[in-house]
Amino acid sequence: METSSLRSQPMGRSGYWLILPGSWWIRLLLWKRSLQRPRLLAQKVKAMYCPEAGKPLIKFTHCKKSIYSFSVPRHCPLCQQEVGSGKLEEAPVSISNPFTDGHQEKCSFLLRPTQGTFLREYDGKSDLHVGITNTNGVVYNYNQRGVRRDQAGWEQSLSVPLVQPNMFGLRDQWNRYLEDFSAMGAWLPHRYDEDHHNCYSYTLSFINCILTTEGKEQLDKNEFTEKYVIPRTRLASKYITLYRAIEKHGFYAVDHPDQGTSPPSEVVCAEGYV
């Protein structure tokens, strides 16, 4: 082959390979990949981290204390000694975040503050708003303007999965069921009543319609709330308290359980399908 020649050969539907003399085509390929790597890495990081979810919480052990913070510091905030130990039981652990991006949840019941977010504005007494997601993460919810289909705004929510992963038939029909239900006259704007015919009425009525379709017993409001909502709000309340204490002081420390006092309950996501 002449060193000055360039030639191409077919490579299927993706186009043509450009064959350069010697090893130049390899260098070109590696160069192109090096240009793509930062962009791909940024996309992965963006997909993994949702700012609305808040900073991750970490727990580590030092000075016979369980210390909670947003990251593991080089030096202990209590004794100023360097943090680091070969003991497995003292290794840092991540505290599970009970909040999720609702638009990433499929076929789920979502709960969020009507105004603001859980980590910032919620005070335990604020009004809450609820909705149902379709298989594309669109949140169907009911208020004084009727049924809304939100594609944003539920990035920090508590989620209750409504459909088990192996229920393929129900998942295939879910969007049609949700759309048909939302088109009913009961959910027109003028029918809305803040106390008796609201977002909770809408979501629970839809859930019960699905349960009836599947030949299952319906749930009343108290039963659904006690079984699926309250366990998650309790976990959220503990997490919020811990999160805000760390924001205010930089860390939060309690006696290690070996000292006879239990630390705050580790926040883990509640399980269970309706």
Side-chain angles (χ1 to χ4, degrees):
M1 180 192 305
E2 297 181 5
T3 57
S4 61
S5 65
L6 297 177
R7 61 188 179 86
S8 61
Q9 67 182 32
M11 54 170 293
R13 292 184 299 174
S14 56
Y16 290 86
W17 284 109
L18 184 63
I19 305 300
L20 300 179
S23 61
W24 283 102
W25 70 276
I26 298 177
R27 296 182 187 180
L28 177 61
L29 181 61
L30 293 176
W31 176 71
K32 291 180 66 177
R33 288 182 177 177
S34 69
L35 293 179
Q36 295 176 345
R37 191 174 296 115
R39 177 172 56 85
L40 294 175
L41 180 59
Q43 291 175 347
K44 289 181 179 179
V45 170
K46 183 178 180 181
M48 292 173 61
Y49 175 67
C50 176
E52 293 81 0
K55 303 173 185 177
L57 298 190
I58 304 295
K59 186 192 84 168
F60 62 96
T61 302
H62 207 266
C63 299
K64 297 182 180 180
K65 299 280 189 179
S66 292
I67 303 175
Y68 298 80
S69 64
F70 292 131
S71 62
V72 180
R74 290 189 59 184
H75 298 91
C76 174
L78 300 176
C79 69
Q80 305 307 316
Q81 297 297 313
E82 187 172 351
V83 174
S85 174
K87 297 180 180 180
L88 180 61
E89 62 270 18
E90 295 183 1
V93 295
S94 177
I95 305 300
S96 298
N97 190 334
F99 306 116
T100 183
D101 183 350
H103 299 289
Q104 300 297 321
E105 302 294 321
K106 299 180 179 180
C107 309
S108 297
F109 170 94
L110 299 183
L111 178 74
R112 67 164 174 81
T114 302
Q115 301 293 332
T117 66
F118 278 112
L119 291 177
R120 297 297 179 190
E121 293 83 8
Y122 186 65
D123 61 3
K125 300 177 182 178
S126 307
D127 290 338
L128 296 172
H129 192 46
V130 298
I132 302 284
T133 60
N134 67 6
T135 60
N136 300 312
V138 177
V139 185
Y140 285 61
N141 59 100
Y142 180 60
N143 61 18
Q144 61 271 22
R145 289 178 288 179
V147 177
R148 298 180 57 81
R149 297 159 178 81
D150 295 341
Q151 299 186 38
W154 297 75
E155 288 80 9
Q156 191 182 109
S157 304
L158 294 174
S159 175
V160 180
L162 300 175
V163 182
Q164 297 183 24
N166 61 349
M167 300 179 70
F168 302 110
L170 179 56
R171 284 180 176 271
D172 288 342
Q173 299 296 321
W174 187 265
N175 289 358
R176 182 175 66 83
Y177 287 157
L178 188 53
E179 193 63 46
D180 290 348
F181 176 82
S182 300
M184 295 173 61
W187 313 116
L188 292 173
H190 71 275
R191 299 291 301 275
Y192 180 83
D193 181 88
E194 186 175 354
D195 297 319
H196 304 292
H197 195 73
N198 49 33
C199 60
Y200 212 109
S201 308
Y202 169 81
T203 55
L204 187 57
S205 294
F206 176 74
I207 291 170
N208 280 327
C209 283
I210 295 298
L211 290 174
T212 299
T213 301
E214 295 294 306
K216 298 180 180 179
E217 187 175 349
Q218 293 190 358
L219 298 168
D220 62 34
K221 182 177 180 179
N222 291 334
E223 184 180 5
F224 180 81
T225 302
E226 291 177 5
K227 188 173 182 180
Y228 298 103
V229 177
I230 290 180
R232 287 166 170 81
T233 56
R234 284 176 178 167
L235 291 173
S237 178
K238 294 178 182 179
Y239 191 90
I240 291 170
T241 300
L242 186 59
Y243 190 96
R244 291 177 179 173
I246 297 171
E247 272 199 322
K248 184 176 181 180
H249 303 290
F251 69 96
Y252 183 81
V254 295
D255 289 336
H256 194 272
D258 290 344
Q259 301 302 113
T261 303
S262 297
S265 300
E266 305 300 337
V267 181
V268 295
C269 292
E271 298 294 337
Y273 292 88
V274 176

